[in-house]
Amino acid sequence: LGVYHNLKMSRYSAFEDKPAYRELFKEIEENTHRMRAEVIEFLKKEGDWNTAWNSYPESQNRDVVMK
């Protein structure tokens, strides 16, 4: 998520008018959220999920939402 956030904040605006670039970032965003959900599901099944983490990732994602 950190790498995605950095790319989104530093590079996206320079290329957001290019459909291929927007499609690439959409794919990256979808994969990032899918993988995050899979990790959370696994940790919860294993009993290793800390409920304090429930709000942290979402607050970090708010500034990288795709246009």
Side-chain angles (χ1 to χ4, degrees):
L1 183 58
V3 170
Y4 171 73
H5 182 271
N6 185 40
L7 287 172
K8 173 78 169 133
M9 295 295 106
S10 66
R11 295 289 192 190
Y12 183 77
S13 62
F15 298 99
E16 66 185 332
D17 60 333
K18 304 207 181 313
Y21 197 78
R22 282 196 318 269
E23 186 60 33
L24 173 63
F25 262 88
K26 180 180 176 189
E27 184 179 336
I28 291 170
E29 184 174 51
E30 289 170 354
N31 285 334
T32 298
H33 291 296
R34 179 188 48 77
M35 288 185 287
R36 178 180 167 271
E38 289 173 2
V39 168
I40 291 169
E41 181 181 348
F42 173 80
L43 290 174
K44 286 180 177 180
K45 283 181 183 176
E46 294 295 312
D48 292 330
W49 180 255
N50 182 337
T51 57
W53 298 337
N54 286 339
S55 62
Y56 176 75
E58 290 307 315
S59 66
Q60 297 299 311
N61 289 338
R62 286 191 186 122
D63 21 316
V64 293
V65 173
M66 297 298 291
K67 291 185 176 184

